Amino acid sequence: MVKISPSLMCMDISKFEEQINYLNQTVDYYHIDIMDGHYVSNMTLSPWFIKQLKDHTTIPIDAHLMVTNPIEYVDQLLDLGVEVISIHAEYLNGHAFRLSEKIKQHGKKMGVVLNPETPLSLVYDYLHLLDIITVMTVDPGFAGQTFISESLKKVRTLKTVREERKLVFEIQIDGSCNEKTYQMMIDAGADILILGSSGLFNLDDSIGKSVEIMKNQLSSATSEIKSF
Protein backbone atom coordinates (compact mmCIF):
# COMPACT_ATOMS: atom_id res chain seq x y z
CA MET A 1 0.00 0.00 0.00
CA VAL A 2 2.03 2.94 -1.26
CA LYS A 3 1.24 6.58 -0.44
CA ILE A 4 1.64 9.49 -2.83
CA SER A 5 3.28 12.85 -2.08
CA PRO A 6 3.46 15.38 -4.96
CA SER A 7 6.52 17.62 -4.94
CA LEU A 8 4.99 21.05 -5.38
CA MET A 9 8.23 22.64 -6.61
CA CYS A 10 7.37 20.84 -9.87
CA MET A 11 3.78 22.07 -10.20
CA ASP A 12 2.59 24.81 -12.55
CA ILE A 13 2.33 27.73 -10.12
CA SER A 14 0.20 29.66 -12.61
CA LYS A 15 -2.43 26.93 -12.12
CA PHE A 16 -1.94 26.66 -8.36
CA GLU A 17 -5.58 26.64 -7.23
CA GLU A 18 -6.76 24.34 -10.03
CA GLN A 19 -4.01 21.80 -9.42
CA ILE A 20 -4.29 21.82 -5.62
CA ASN A 21 -8.08 21.47 -5.69
CA TYR A 22 -7.74 18.40 -7.90
CA LEU A 23 -4.84 16.84 -6.02
CA ASN A 24 -6.67 17.28 -2.71
CA GLN A 25 -8.99 14.48 -3.82
CA THR A 26 -6.30 11.85 -4.30
CA VAL A 27 -2.95 12.38 -2.53
CA ASP A 28 -1.65 11.52 0.95
CA TYR A 29 0.92 14.28 1.53
CA TYR A 30 2.26 17.41 -0.10
CA HIS A 31 6.05 17.59 -0.30
CA ILE A 32 7.44 21.11 0.06
CA ASP A 33 11.11 21.65 -0.75
CA ILE A 34 12.52 24.65 1.08
CA MET A 35 15.93 25.68 -0.31
CA ASP A 36 18.05 28.67 0.65
CA GLY A 37 20.60 28.69 -2.18
CA HIS A 38 23.38 27.62 0.22
CA TYR A 39 22.91 23.99 1.24
CA VAL A 40 21.99 23.42 -2.41
CA SER A 41 22.58 25.93 -5.20
CA ASN A 42 18.89 26.38 -5.91
CA MET A 43 16.07 28.35 -4.31
CA THR A 44 12.47 27.15 -4.41
CA LEU A 45 9.54 27.21 -2.00
CA SER A 46 9.35 28.82 1.43
CA PRO A 47 7.30 28.92 4.64
CA TRP A 48 5.32 31.72 2.97
CA PHE A 49 4.23 29.23 0.29
CA ILE A 50 3.11 26.80 2.99
CA LYS A 51 1.02 29.55 4.59
CA GLN A 52 -0.77 30.09 1.27
CA LEU A 53 -1.17 26.35 0.70
CA LYS A 54 -2.81 25.85 4.10
CA ASP A 55 -5.70 28.04 2.93
CA HIS A 56 -6.46 25.53 0.17
CA THR A 57 -5.92 22.09 1.71
CA THR A 58 -6.15 19.87 4.75
CA ILE A 59 -3.69 17.34 3.26
CA PRO A 60 -0.65 16.82 5.57
CA ILE A 61 2.42 18.81 4.53
CA ASP A 62 5.97 17.43 4.61
CA ALA A 63 8.54 20.26 4.71
CA HIS A 64 11.91 19.13 3.35
CA LEU A 65 14.55 21.54 4.63
CA MET A 66 17.49 21.92 2.25
CA VAL A 67 18.93 24.87 4.13
CA THR A 68 22.12 25.50 6.11
CA ASN A 69 20.33 26.23 9.40
CA PRO A 70 17.26 23.97 9.38
CA ILE A 71 16.74 24.05 13.16
CA GLU A 72 15.94 27.77 12.89
CA TYR A 73 12.90 26.92 10.73
CA VAL A 74 11.31 24.42 13.10
CA ASP A 75 9.29 26.78 15.30
CA GLN A 76 7.91 28.64 12.28
CA LEU A 77 6.89 25.40 10.59
CA LEU A 78 5.22 24.11 13.75
CA ASP A 79 3.29 27.38 14.01
CA LEU A 80 2.12 26.86 10.43
CA GLY A 81 0.84 23.37 11.32
CA VAL A 82 3.22 21.44 9.10
CA GLU A 83 2.66 17.72 9.70
CA VAL A 84 6.19 16.46 8.97
CA ILE A 85 9.50 18.30 9.34
CA SER A 86 12.25 16.52 7.39
CA ILE A 87 15.88 17.48 7.98
CA HIS A 88 19.03 16.10 6.37
CA ALA A 89 20.92 13.76 8.70
CA GLU A 90 24.08 15.88 8.62
CA TYR A 91 22.17 18.73 10.27
CA LEU A 92 19.87 16.71 12.51
CA ASN A 93 22.74 15.12 14.41
CA GLY A 94 23.28 16.94 17.68
CA HIS A 95 19.61 18.00 17.76
CA ALA A 96 17.65 14.79 17.18
CA PHE A 97 16.54 13.93 20.72
CA ARG A 98 15.66 17.47 21.77
CA LEU A 99 13.96 18.23 18.46
CA SER A 100 11.97 15.01 18.52
CA GLU A 101 10.56 15.94 21.92
CA LYS A 102 9.51 19.38 20.70
CA ILE A 103 7.90 18.08 17.51
CA LYS A 104 6.04 15.29 19.33
CA GLN A 105 4.74 17.79 21.91
CA HIS A 106 3.03 19.55 18.99
CA GLY A 107 1.57 16.26 17.75
CA LYS A 108 3.67 16.37 14.58
CA LYS A 109 6.18 14.03 12.91
CA MET A 110 9.96 14.17 12.64
CA GLY A 111 11.68 13.04 9.47
CA VAL A 112 15.28 12.59 8.40
CA VAL A 113 16.62 12.79 4.86
CA LEU A 114 19.50 10.65 3.59
CA ASN A 115 21.48 11.78 0.56
CA PRO A 116 22.72 9.03 -1.79
CA GLU A 117 26.15 9.06 -0.13
CA THR A 118 24.92 9.45 3.48
CA PRO A 119 25.54 6.23 5.47
CA LEU A 120 22.71 4.75 7.53
CA SER A 121 25.06 4.57 10.49
CA LEU A 122 24.59 8.32 10.87
CA VAL A 123 21.00 7.84 12.11
CA TYR A 124 21.04 4.40 13.77
CA ASP A 125 21.09 5.77 17.32
CA TYR A 126 17.81 7.64 16.89
CA LEU A 127 15.88 5.50 14.41
CA HIS A 128 13.29 4.91 17.14
CA LEU A 129 12.51 8.66 17.22
CA LEU A 130 11.74 8.93 13.52
CA ASP A 131 8.36 8.91 11.83
CA ILE A 132 9.55 9.16 8.22
CA ILE A 133 12.93 8.44 6.63
CA THR A 134 13.41 9.95 3.17
CA VAL A 135 15.93 8.20 0.94
CA MET A 136 17.18 10.44 -1.86
CA THR A 137 17.64 8.58 -5.15
CA VAL A 138 19.08 11.72 -6.77
CA ASP A 139 21.40 14.38 -5.42
CA PRO A 140 19.37 17.06 -3.60
CA GLY A 141 18.47 20.42 -5.08
CA PHE A 142 17.18 19.99 -8.62
CA ALA A 143 14.39 18.15 -10.42
CA GLY A 144 14.93 15.91 -13.43
CA GLN A 145 18.16 14.17 -12.40
CA THR A 146 19.29 10.64 -13.24
CA PHE A 147 18.06 7.90 -10.90
CA ILE A 148 20.75 6.53 -8.53
CA SER A 149 19.80 2.87 -8.18
CA GLU A 150 22.41 2.23 -5.48
CA SER A 151 20.19 4.16 -3.04
CA LEU A 152 17.68 1.32 -3.05
CA LYS A 153 20.10 -0.75 -0.97
CA LYS A 154 19.39 1.72 1.86
CA VAL A 155 15.67 1.23 1.42
CA ARG A 156 16.02 -2.56 1.70
CA THR A 157 18.24 -2.25 4.76
CA LEU A 158 15.82 0.16 6.46
CA LYS A 159 12.93 -2.20 5.82
CA THR A 160 14.88 -5.07 7.40
CA VAL A 161 16.00 -3.00 10.40
CA ARG A 162 12.44 -1.77 10.95
CA GLU A 163 11.16 -5.33 11.11
CA GLU A 164 14.00 -6.57 13.32
CA ARG A 165 13.70 -3.70 15.81
CA LYS A 166 9.89 -3.46 15.57
CA LEU A 167 10.02 0.22 14.65
CA VAL A 168 7.24 2.20 12.99
CA PHE A 169 8.88 4.77 10.70
CA GLU A 170 7.72 5.02 7.09
CA ILE A 171 10.22 4.87 4.22
CA GLN A 172 9.87 7.60 1.63
CA ILE A 173 11.71 7.91 -1.69
CA ASP A 174 12.58 11.27 -3.26
CA GLY A 175 13.99 11.37 -6.78
CA SER A 176 13.01 9.96 -10.18
CA CYS A 177 9.82 8.29 -8.94
CA ASN A 178 8.10 7.42 -12.20
CA GLU A 179 6.85 4.61 -14.42
CA LYS A 180 10.37 3.26 -14.96
CA THR A 181 11.21 3.02 -11.25
CA TYR A 182 7.92 2.38 -9.37
CA GLN A 183 8.23 -1.40 -9.29
CA MET A 184 11.81 -1.53 -8.00
CA MET A 185 11.12 1.17 -5.40
CA ILE A 186 8.05 -0.56 -4.01
CA ASP A 187 9.74 -3.95 -4.11
CA ALA A 188 12.64 -2.47 -2.13
CA GLY A 189 10.26 -1.32 0.60
CA ALA A 190 9.03 2.20 -0.17
CA ASP A 191 5.92 3.30 1.72
CA ILE A 192 5.69 6.80 0.23
CA LEU A 193 6.69 8.01 -3.25
CA ILE A 194 7.40 11.68 -3.90
CA LEU A 195 6.19 12.47 -7.41
CA GLY A 196 7.62 15.38 -9.37
CA SER A 197 7.87 16.19 -13.05
CA SER A 198 8.38 12.74 -14.57
CA GLY A 199 5.96 10.97 -12.23
CA LEU A 200 3.10 13.45 -12.30
CA PHE A 201 3.24 17.07 -13.41
CA ASN A 202 4.73 16.58 -16.90
CA LEU A 203 2.52 13.66 -17.88
CA ASP A 204 -0.09 15.95 -19.43
CA ASP A 205 -1.08 19.63 -19.57
CA SER A 206 -4.24 18.75 -17.61
CA ILE A 207 -3.72 17.88 -13.94
CA GLY A 208 -6.74 15.56 -14.10
CA LYS A 209 -5.26 13.64 -17.02
CA SER A 210 -1.84 13.59 -15.34
CA VAL A 211 -3.32 12.03 -12.20
CA GLU A 212 -5.18 9.45 -14.28
CA ILE A 213 -1.98 8.49 -16.12
CA MET A 214 -0.06 8.31 -12.85
CA LYS A 215 -2.63 6.00 -11.28
CA ASN A 216 -2.57 3.70 -14.29
CA GLN A 217 1.22 3.58 -14.26
CA LEU A 218 1.29 2.73 -10.57
CA SER A 219 -1.37 0.07 -10.98
CA SER A 220 0.58 -1.47 -13.86
CA ALA A 221 3.81 -1.43 -11.87
CA THR A 222 2.54 -3.30 -8.84
CA SER A 223 -0.45 -5.09 -7.42
CA GLU A 224 0.50 -3.74 -3.97
CA ILE A 225 -1.08 -0.40 -4.69
CA LYS A 226 -3.69 1.35 -2.57
CA SER A 227 -7.22 1.81 -3.84
CA PHE A 228 -7.58 5.39 -5.02
Side-chain angles (χ1 to χ4, degrees):
M1 303 290 285
V2 68
K3 296 179 182 178
I4 299 304
S5 181
S7 175
L8 296 191
M9 69 175 281
C10 300
M11 74 182 299
D12 185 345
I13 297 296
S14 69
K15 299 177 181 178
F16 172 83
E17 191 166 0
E18 172 193 344
Q19 294 194 346
I20 292 300
N21 287 343
Y22 196 93
L23 291 170
N24 282 340
Q25 305 171 49
T26 194
V27 304
D28 300 283
Y29 288 96
Y30 284 124
H31 188 83
I32 308 298
D33 289 303
I34 298 176
M35 307 181 194
D36 62 358
H38 297 286
Y39 178 69
V40 292
S41 57
N42 195 7
M43 298 181 70
T44 53
L45 306 177
S46 68
W48 177 86
F49 179 85
I50 292 174
K51 185 176 181 181
Q52 308 306 308
L53 177 61
K54 294 288 284 187
D55 291 335
H56 296 272
T57 190
T58 58
I59 298 294
I61 294 170
D62 176 11
H64 176 186
L65 294 171
M66 284 180 271
V67 298
T68 52
N69 296 297
I71 308 305
E72 295 179 1
Y73 287 72
V74 170
D75 287 337
Q76 184 180 8
L77 293 173
L78 289 173
D79 288 343
L80 288 170
V82 168
E83 185 68 24
V84 186
I85 297 176
S86 294
I87 298 173
H88 282 258
E90 293 82 358
Y91 287 104
L92 188 54
N93 282 350
H95 304 276
F97 287 83
R98 181 174 64 255
L99 197 58
S100 171
E101 184 176 358
K102 174 185 281 192
I103 291 172
K104 299 300 171 61
Q105 285 175 349
H106 283 77
K108 304 304 181 182
K109 299 178 180 181
M110 185 168 79
V112 71
V113 185
L114 302 172
N115 288 332
E117 67 273 37
T118 303
L120 285 177
S121 58
L122 208 58
V123 301
Y124 271 159
D125 287 343
Y126 57 86
L127 281 176
H128 61 289
L129 302 179
L130 298 170
D131 299 292
I132 292 180
I133 300 177
T134 301
V135 176
M136 300 292 298
T137 53
V138 298
D139 288 329
F142 293 89
Q145 297 184 66
T146 301
F147 173 62
I148 301 172
S149 61
E150 290 87 346
S151 295
L152 293 183
K153 181 179 179 181
K154 267 188 211 131
V155 176
R156 297 186 190 97
T157 302
L158 283 168
K159 182 179 179 182
T160 298
V161 170
R162 181 175 61 186
E163 292 171 356
E164 290 175 348
R165 293 176 55 178
K166 296 181 171 55
L167 301 175
V168 296
F169 59 78
E170 293 184 289
I171 303 168
Q172 177 169 252
I173 294 184
D174 186 358
S176 293
C177 297
N178 56 47
E179 183 180 22
K180 296 178 181 179
T181 59
Y182 287 150
Q183 186 64 64
M184 66 180 83
M185 289 178 172
I186 295 170
D187 283 348
D191 303 302
I192 308 168
L193 300 177
I194 296 172
L195 302 186
S197 300
S198 63
L200 178 61
F201 291 106
N202 284 355
L203 295 178
D204 195 87
D205 291 337
S206 162
I207 189 62
K209 183 64 174 176
S210 291
V211 169
E212 180 183 349
I213 294 170
M214 176 269 290
K215 290 178 180 179
N216 289 335
Q217 290 176 346
L218 275 169
S219 295
S220 297
T222 178
S223 60
E224 300 272 340
I225 189 65
K226 68 180 288 186
S227 177
F228 286 91

